[in-house]
Coordinates of all heavy atoms in Angstrom, one line a residue:
M77 N 88.7 164.8 17.2 CA 87.4 165.4 16.9 C 87.6 166.7 16.3 O 88.5 167.5 16.7 CB 86.7 165.5 18.3 CG 85.3 165.9 18.1 SD 84.3 166.1 19.7 CE 84.4 164.4 20.3
D78 N 86.8 167.0 15.3 CA 86.9 168.3 14.6 C 86.6 169.5 15.5 O 85.7 169.3 16.4 CB 86.0 168.3 13.4 CG 86.4 167.4 12.3 OD1 87.7 167.1 12.2 OD2 85.6 166.9 11.5
P79 N 87.2 170.6 15.3 CA 86.8 171.8 16.0 C 85.4 172.2 15.8 O 84.8 171.8 14.7 CB 87.8 172.9 15.5 CG 88.9 172.2 14.9 CD 88.3 170.9 14.4
H80 N 84.8 173.1 16.6 CA 83.5 173.6 16.4 C 83.5 175.1 16.5 O 84.2 175.6 17.4 CB 82.6 173.0 17.5 CG 81.2 173.6 17.6 ND1 80.3 173.4 16.6 CD2 80.6 174.5 18.4 CE1 79.2 174.1 16.9 NE2 79.4 174.8 18.0
E81 N 82.9 175.8 15.6 CA 82.8 177.2 15.5 C 81.3 177.6 15.8 O 80.4 177.0 15.3 CB 83.3 177.8 14.2 CG 84.8 177.5 14.0 CD 85.3 178.1 12.7 OE1 84.5 178.9 12.0 OE2 86.4 177.8 12.3
F82 N 81.2 178.7 16.5 CA 79.9 179.3 16.8 C 79.9 180.8 17.1 O 81.0 181.3 17.3 CB 79.1 178.5 17.9 CG 79.8 178.6 19.2 CD1 79.3 179.5 20.2 CD2 80.9 177.8 19.6 CE1 80.0 179.6 21.4 CE2 81.5 177.9 20.8 CZ 81.0 178.8 21.8
E83 N 78.8 181.4 17.1 CA 78.7 182.8 17.5 C 77.9 183.0 18.8 O 77.0 182.3 19.0 CB 77.9 183.6 16.3 CG 78.8 184.7 15.7 CD 78.0 185.4 14.7 OE1 77.3 186.3 15.1 OE2 78.2 185.1 13.5
H84 N 78.3 184.0 19.6 CA 77.6 184.3 20.8 C 77.7 185.9 21.0 O 78.8 186.4 21.1 CB 78.2 183.6 22.0 CG 77.5 184.0 23.3 ND1 76.3 183.4 23.6 CD2 77.9 184.8 24.3 CE1 75.9 183.9 24.8 NE2 76.9 184.7 25.2
D85 N 76.5 186.5 21.0 CA 76.5 188.0 21.2 C 77.4 188.7 20.2 O 78.1 189.6 20.6 CB 76.9 188.4 22.7 CG 75.8 188.0 23.7 OD1 74.6 187.8 23.3 OD2 76.1 188.0 24.9
G86 N 77.4 188.3 19.0 CA 78.1 188.9 17.9 C 79.6 188.6 17.9 O 80.3 189.0 17.0
A87 N 80.1 187.8 18.8 CA 81.5 187.4 18.8 C 81.6 185.9 18.3 O 80.7 185.1 18.5 CB 82.1 187.4 20.2
R88 N 82.7 185.6 17.5 CA 82.9 184.3 17.0 C 83.8 183.5 17.9 O 84.8 184.1 18.5 CB 83.6 184.4 15.6 CG 82.8 185.1 14.6 CD 82.0 184.3 13.6 NE 82.5 183.1 13.2 CZ 81.8 181.9 13.2 NH1 80.5 182.0 13.5 NH2 82.3 180.8 12.9
F89 N 83.5 182.3 18.1 CA 84.3 181.4 19.0 C 84.7 180.1 18.2 O 83.9 179.7 17.4 CB 83.5 181.0 20.2 CG 83.3 182.1 21.2 CD1 82.2 183.0 21.0 CD2 84.1 182.3 22.3 CE1 81.9 184.0 21.9 CE2 83.9 183.4 23.1 CZ 82.8 184.2 23.0
E90 N 85.8 179.6 18.6 CA 86.2 178.2 18.2 C 86.5 177.4 19.4 O 87.2 177.8 20.3 CB 87.4 178.3 17.3 CG 87.8 176.9 16.7 CD 89.1 176.9 15.9 OE1 90.1 177.2 16.4 OE2 88.9 176.7 14.7
V91 N 86.1 176.1 19.3 CA 86.4 175.2 20.4 C 87.2 174.0 19.8 O 86.7 173.5 18.8 CB 85.1 174.6 21.1 CG1 85.5 173.7 22.2 CG2 84.2 175.7 21.6
R92 N 88.3 173.7 20.4 CA 89.0 172.5 20.0 C 88.9 171.6 21.1 O 89.1 171.9 22.3 CB 90.5 172.9 19.7 CG 90.7 173.8 18.5 CD 92.1 173.9 18.1 NE 92.2 174.7 16.9 CZ 92.1 174.2 15.7 NH1 91.9 172.9 15.5 NH2 92.2 175.0 14.6
F93 N 88.7 170.3 20.8 CA 88.5 169.3 21.7 C 89.7 168.4 21.9 O 90.4 168.1 20.9 CB 87.3 168.4 21.4 CG 86.0 169.2 21.2 CD1 85.5 169.5 20.0 CD2 85.3 169.7 22.3 CE1 84.4 170.3 19.8 CE2 84.2 170.4 22.2 CZ 83.7 170.7 21.0
E94 N 90.0 168.0 23.1 CA 91.2 167.2 23.4 C 90.7 166.0 24.3 O 90.2 166.3 25.4 CB 92.3 168.0 24.1 CG 93.5 167.2 24.5 CD 94.5 168.1 25.3 OE1 94.2 169.3 25.5 OE2 95.5 167.5 25.7
R95 N 91.1 164.8 23.9 CA 90.8 163.6 24.8 C 91.9 163.5 25.7 O 93.1 163.5 25.3 CB 90.6 162.4 23.9 CG 90.4 161.1 24.7 CD 88.9 161.2 25.2 NE 88.6 159.9 25.8 CZ 87.9 159.7 26.9 NH1 87.5 160.8 27.6 NH2 87.7 158.6 27.4
V96 N 91.6 163.4 27.0 CA 92.6 163.2 28.0 C 92.3 161.9 28.8 O 91.3 161.3 28.6 CB 92.7 164.4 29.0 CG1 93.2 165.7 28.3 CG2 91.4 164.7 29.6
A97 N 93.2 161.5 29.7 CA 93.1 160.3 30.4 C 91.7 160.0 31.1 O 91.2 158.9 31.0 CB 94.1 160.1 31.4
K98 N 91.1 161.1 31.6 CA 89.9 160.8 32.4 C 88.7 161.6 31.9 O 87.7 161.9 32.6 CB 90.1 161.1 33.9 CG 91.1 160.2 34.5 CD 91.2 160.5 36.0 CE 92.2 159.6 36.6 NZ 92.4 159.7 38.1
G99 N 88.7 162.0 30.6 CA 87.6 162.8 30.1 C 88.0 163.6 28.8 O 88.8 163.2 28.0
W100 N 87.3 164.7 28.6 CA 87.6 165.6 27.5 C 87.9 167.0 28.0 O 87.4 167.4 29.1 CB 86.4 165.7 26.6 CG 86.1 164.5 25.8 CD1 85.4 163.4 26.2 CD2 86.6 164.2 24.5 NE1 85.4 162.4 25.2 CE2 86.2 162.9 24.2 CE3 87.4 164.9 23.6 CZ2 86.5 162.3 22.9 CZ3 87.7 164.3 22.4 CH2 87.2 163.1 22.0
L101 N 88.6 167.8 27.2 CA 88.9 169.2 27.5 C 88.4 169.9 26.2 O 88.5 169.5 25.1 CB 90.4 169.5 27.7 CG 91.0 168.9 28.9 CD1 92.5 169.3 28.9 CD2 90.4 169.3 30.1
G102 N 87.7 171.1 26.5 CA 87.3 172.0 25.4 C 88.1 173.2 25.6 O 88.0 173.9 26.6
H103 N 88.9 173.6 24.5 CA 89.7 174.8 24.5 C 88.9 175.8 23.7 O 88.8 175.8 22.5 CB 91.0 174.5 23.8 CG 91.8 173.5 24.5 ND1 92.8 173.7 25.4 CD2 91.8 172.1 24.3 CE1 93.4 172.6 25.8 NE2 92.8 171.6 25.2
I104 N 88.3 176.8 24.5 CA 87.4 177.8 23.9 C 88.2 179.1 23.6 O 88.8 179.7 24.5 CB 86.3 178.1 24.9 CG1 85.5 176.8 25.2 CG2 85.3 179.1 24.2 CD1 84.5 177.0 26.4
H105 N 88.2 179.5 22.4 CA 89.0 180.7 22.0 C 88.0 181.7 21.3 O 87.3 181.3 20.3 CB 90.1 180.3 21.1 CG 90.9 181.5 20.6 ND1 90.7 182.0 19.4 CD2 91.8 182.3 21.2 CE1 91.5 183.1 19.2 NE2 92.2 183.3 20.4
R106 N 88.0 182.9 21.7 CA 87.2 184.0 21.0 C 88.1 184.6 20.0 O 89.2 185.0 20.2 CB 86.8 185.1 22.0 CG 85.9 186.1 21.3 CD 85.5 187.3 22.2 NE 85.8 187.2 23.6 CZ 85.1 187.8 24.5 NH1 84.0 188.5 24.2 NH2 85.4 187.7 25.8
E107 N 87.5 184.8 18.8 CA 88.2 185.4 17.7 C 88.7 186.8 18.1 O 88.0 187.6 18.7 CB 87.3 185.5 16.5 CG 87.9 185.9 15.2 CD 87.0 185.9 14.0 OE1 86.8 184.9 13.4 OE2 86.3 187.0 13.8
G108 N 90.0 187.1 17.8 CA 90.6 188.4 18.1 C 91.1 188.5 19.5 O 91.5 189.6 19.9
D109 N 91.0 187.4 20.3 CA 91.4 187.5 21.7 C 92.6 186.6 21.8 O 92.7 185.6 21.1 CB 90.3 187.0 22.6 CG 90.5 187.4 24.1 OD1 91.5 187.8 24.5 OD2 89.5 187.2 24.8
D110 N 93.5 186.8 22.8 CA 94.7 186.0 23.0 C 94.5 185.0 24.2 O 95.4 184.4 24.6 CB 96.0 186.8 23.1 CG 95.9 187.7 24.3 OD1 94.8 187.9 24.9 OD2 97.0 188.3 24.7
V111 N 93.3 185.0 24.7 CA 93.0 184.1 25.8 C 92.2 182.8 25.4 O 91.3 182.9 24.6 CB 92.2 184.8 26.9 CG1 91.8 183.9 28.0 CG2 93.0 186.0 27.4
T112 N 92.6 181.7 25.9 CA 91.9 180.5 25.7 C 91.4 180.0 27.0 O 92.1 179.9 28.0 CB 92.8 179.4 25.0 OG1 93.2 179.9 23.8 CG2 92.0 178.1 24.9
H113 N 90.1 179.7 27.1 CA 89.5 179.1 28.3 C 89.3 177.6 28.1 O 89.0 177.1 27.1 CB 88.1 179.7 28.5 CG 88.1 181.2 28.7 ND1 88.4 181.7 30.0 CD2 88.0 182.2 27.9 CE1 88.3 183.1 29.9 NE2 88.1 183.4 28.6
I114 N 89.6 176.9 29.2 CA 89.5 175.4 29.2 C 88.4 174.9 30.0 O 88.3 175.3 31.2 CB 90.9 174.8 29.6 CG1 91.9 175.3 28.6 CG2 90.8 173.3 29.6 CD1 93.3 174.8 29.0
M115 N 87.5 174.1 29.5 CA 86.4 173.5 30.1 C 86.8 172.0 30.2 O 87.2 171.4 29.2 CB 85.1 173.6 29.4 CG 84.6 175.0 29.3 SD 84.2 175.7 30.9 CE 82.9 174.6 31.5
A116 N 86.6 171.4 31.4 CA 86.8 169.9 31.6 C 85.5 169.2 31.7 O 84.6 169.7 32.3 CB 87.6 169.7 32.9
F117 N 85.5 168.1 31.0 CA 84.3 167.2 31.0 C 84.8 165.8 31.4 O 85.3 165.0 30.6 CB 83.6 167.1 29.6 CG 83.2 168.5 29.2 CD1 84.0 169.3 28.5 CD2 81.9 168.9 29.5 CE1 83.5 170.6 28.0 CE2 81.4 170.1 29.0 CZ 82.3 171.0 28.3
P118 N 84.6 165.4 32.7 CA 85.1 164.1 33.2 C 84.3 163.0 32.6 O 83.1 163.1 32.3 CB 85.0 164.2 34.7 CG 83.9 165.2 34.9 CD 84.0 166.2 33.8
D119 N 84.9 161.8 32.4 CA 84.2 160.6 32.0 C 83.1 160.3 33.0 O 83.4 160.4 34.2 CB 85.2 159.4 31.9 CG 86.0 159.5 30.6 OD1 85.6 160.1 29.7 OD2 87.1 158.9 30.6
G120 N 82.0 159.9 32.5 CA 80.9 159.4 33.4 C 80.0 160.5 33.9 O 78.9 160.2 34.3
A121 N 80.5 161.7 33.9 CA 79.6 162.9 34.3 C 80.0 164.1 33.5 O 81.2 164.3 33.3 CB 79.8 163.2 35.8
G122 N 79.1 164.8 33.0 CA 79.5 166.0 32.2 C 79.2 165.9 30.8 O 79.2 166.9 30.1
Y123 N 78.9 164.7 30.2 CA 78.5 164.6 28.8 C 77.9 163.3 28.6 O 78.0 162.3 29.4 CB 79.7 164.8 27.9 CG 80.8 163.7 28.0 CD1 80.7 162.6 27.2 CD2 81.9 163.9 28.8 CE1 81.7 161.6 27.2 CE2 82.9 162.9 28.9 CZ 82.8 161.8 28.1 OH 83.8 160.9 28.1
D124 N 77.1 163.2 27.5 CA 76.3 162.0 27.2 C 77.3 161.1 26.3 O 77.6 161.5 25.2 CB 75.1 162.4 26.4 CG 74.3 161.2 25.9 OD1 74.6 160.1 26.2 OD2 73.2 161.5 25.3
S125 N 77.6 159.9 26.8 CA 78.5 159.0 26.1 C 77.9 158.6 24.8 O 78.5 158.2 23.9 CB 78.8 157.8 26.9 OG 77.7 157.1 27.3
G126 N 76.5 158.7 24.6 CA 75.9 158.4 23.3 C 76.0 159.5 22.3 O 75.8 159.3 21.1
D127 N 76.3 160.7 22.7 CA 76.5 161.9 21.8 C 77.6 162.8 22.4 O 77.3 163.9 22.9 CB 75.2 162.7 21.7 CG 75.3 163.8 20.7 OD1 76.2 163.9 19.9 OD2 74.4 164.7 20.8
V128 N 78.8 162.3 22.4 CA 79.9 163.0 23.0 C 80.1 164.4 22.4 O 80.1 165.4 23.1 CB 81.2 162.1 22.9 CG1 82.4 162.9 23.4 CG2 81.1 160.9 23.6
R129 N 80.2 164.4 21.1 CA 80.4 165.7 20.4 C 79.3 166.7 20.7 O 79.6 167.8 21.1 CB 80.5 165.5 18.9 CG 80.8 166.8 18.2 CD 81.1 166.6 16.6 NE 81.1 167.8 15.9 CZ 82.1 168.7 15.9 NH1 83.2 168.4 16.6 NH2 82.0 169.8 15.2
G130 N 78.0 166.3 20.6 CA 76.9 167.2 20.8 C 76.9 167.7 22.3 O 76.6 168.8 22.5
S131 N 77.2 166.8 23.2 CA 77.3 167.2 24.6 C 78.4 168.2 24.9 O 78.2 169.2 25.7 CB 77.4 165.9 25.5 OG 76.3 165.2 25.4
L132 N 79.6 167.9 24.3 CA 80.7 168.8 24.5 C 80.4 170.2 23.9 O 80.7 171.2 24.6 CB 82.0 168.2 23.9 CG 82.5 167.0 24.5 CD1 83.6 166.4 23.8 CD2 82.8 167.1 26.0
I133 N 79.8 170.2 22.8 CA 79.5 171.5 22.1 C 78.5 172.2 23.0 O 78.6 173.4 23.2 CB 78.9 171.2 20.7 CG1 80.1 170.8 19.8 CG2 78.2 172.5 20.1 CD1 79.6 170.3 18.4
A134 N 77.4 171.6 23.4 CA 76.4 172.2 24.3 C 77.0 172.8 25.5 O 76.7 173.9 26.0 CB 75.3 171.2 24.6
G135 N 77.9 172.0 26.2 CA 78.5 172.5 27.4 C 79.4 173.7 27.2 O 79.4 174.7 28.0
C136 N 80.2 173.7 26.1 CA 81.1 174.8 25.8 C 80.3 176.0 25.4 O 80.6 177.2 25.8 CB 82.1 174.4 24.7 SG 83.3 173.3 25.3
E137 N 79.2 175.9 24.6 CA 78.4 177.0 24.2 C 77.7 177.6 25.4 O 77.6 178.8 25.6 CB 77.4 176.6 23.1 CG 78.1 176.4 21.8 CD 77.1 176.2 20.7 OE1 75.8 176.3 20.9 OE2 77.5 175.9 19.5
A138 N 77.2 176.8 26.4 CA 76.6 177.3 27.6 C 77.6 178.0 28.4 O 77.3 179.1 29.1 CB 76.0 176.2 28.3
A139 N 78.8 177.6 28.5 CA 79.9 178.2 29.3 C 80.3 179.5 28.8 O 80.7 180.4 29.6 CB 81.1 177.3 29.4
V140 N 80.2 179.8 27.5 CA 80.6 181.1 27.0 C 79.9 182.3 27.5 O 80.4 183.3 27.8 CB 80.5 181.0 25.4 CG1 80.5 182.4 24.8 CG2 81.6 180.2 24.8
S141 N 78.6 182.1 27.8 CA 77.8 183.2 28.4 C 78.4 183.6 29.8 O 78.4 184.8 30.2 CB 76.3 182.9 28.5 OG 76.1 181.8 29.4
R142 N 78.9 182.7 30.6 CA 79.5 182.9 31.9 C 80.9 183.4 31.7 O 81.3 184.3 32.4 CB 79.5 181.7 32.7 CG 78.1 181.2 33.1 CD 78.0 180.6 34.4 NE 76.7 180.1 34.7 CZ 75.9 180.8 35.5 NH1 76.2 181.9 36.1 NH2 74.7 180.2 35.8
I143 N 81.6 182.9 30.7 CA 83.0 183.3 30.5 C 83.0 184.8 30.1 O 83.9 185.6 30.6 CB 83.7 182.5 29.4 CG1 83.9 181.0 30.0 CG2 85.0 183.1 29.0 CD1 84.4 180.1 28.9
T144 N 82.2 185.2 29.2 CA 82.2 186.6 28.7 C 81.7 187.6 29.8 O 82.0 188.8 29.7 CB 81.3 186.7 27.5 OG1 80.0 186.3 27.8 CG2 81.9 185.9 26.3
Q145 N 81.0 187.1 30.8 CA 80.6 188.0 31.9 C 81.6 188.1 33.0 O 81.6 189.1 33.7 CB 79.3 187.5 32.5 CG 78.1 187.5 31.6 CD 76.9 186.8 32.2 OE1 76.9 186.4 33.3 NE2 75.9 186.7 31.4
A146 N 82.4 187.1 33.2 CA 83.4 187.1 34.3 C 84.6 187.9 34.0 O 85.2 187.8 32.9 CB 83.8 185.7 34.6
P147 N 85.1 188.7 34.9 CA 86.3 189.4 34.7 C 87.5 188.5 34.8 O 87.5 187.5 35.4 CB 86.3 190.5 35.9 CG 85.5 189.8 36.9 CD 84.5 189.0 36.2
A148 N 88.5 188.9 34.1 CA 89.8 188.0 34.1 C 90.4 188.0 35.5 O 90.3 189.0 36.2 CB 90.8 188.6 33.1
T149 N 91.0 186.9 35.8 CA 91.7 186.8 37.1 C 93.2 186.5 36.9 O 93.5 185.9 35.9 CB 91.1 185.7 38.0 OG1 91.1 184.5 37.3 CG2 89.7 186.0 38.3
R150 N 94.0 186.8 37.8 CA 95.4 186.4 37.7 C 95.8 185.7 39.0 O 95.4 186.0 40.1 CB 96.3 187.7 37.6 CG 95.9 188.5 36.4 CD 97.2 189.0 35.8 NE 96.9 189.9 34.7 CZ 97.1 189.5 33.4 NH1 97.6 188.4 33.1 NH2 96.7 190.3 32.4
H151 N 96.5 184.6 38.7 CA 96.9 183.8 39.9 C 98.4 183.7 40.0 O 99.2 183.8 39.1 CB 96.4 182.4 39.8 CG 94.9 182.3 39.7 ND1 94.1 182.4 40.8 CD2 94.1 182.3 38.7 CE1 92.9 182.3 40.5 NE2 92.8 182.3 39.2

């Protein structure tokens, strides 16, 4: 699936999608940042199977507002 680019609060983001055994992963990267956030979308819940790309894009774009507000953590 082709990557998706979008803007949020003046920052540019790119999402690369990866199909995995039990769903999809969205790798969200903010331009100029060295951190990539990963969102998981399990099969059967988390996206519309009739519009996979649209659902994944909507989920990742919605997640960005929370990602940009949350402080980084170290484990």
Side-chain angles (χ1 to χ4, degrees):
M77 185 180 302
D78 291 333
H80 172 68
E81 294 182 8
F82 64 98
E83 240 182 82
H84 178 78
D85 287 342
R88 301 257 332 131
F89 291 86
E90 180 182 71
V91 182
R92 295 192 174 273
F93 302 104
E94 176 185 1
R95 180 71 172 139
V96 293
K98 295 183 180 184
W100 287 90
L101 297 177
H103 302 264
I104 304 170
H105 179 258
R106 182 185 352 210
E107 188 176 273
D109 197 348
D110 61 349
V111 175
T112 298
H113 298 274
I114 299 175
M115 295 294 302
F117 299 89
D119 285 337
Y123 65 89
D124 177 2
S125 61
D127 183 16
V128 174
R129 180 176 171 76
S131 293
L132 295 173
I133 287 171
C136 289
E137 287 187 5
V140 164
S141 63
R142 296 213 183 258
I143 288 170
T144 57
Q145 294 172 7
T149 60
R150 300 221 182 252
H151 299 278

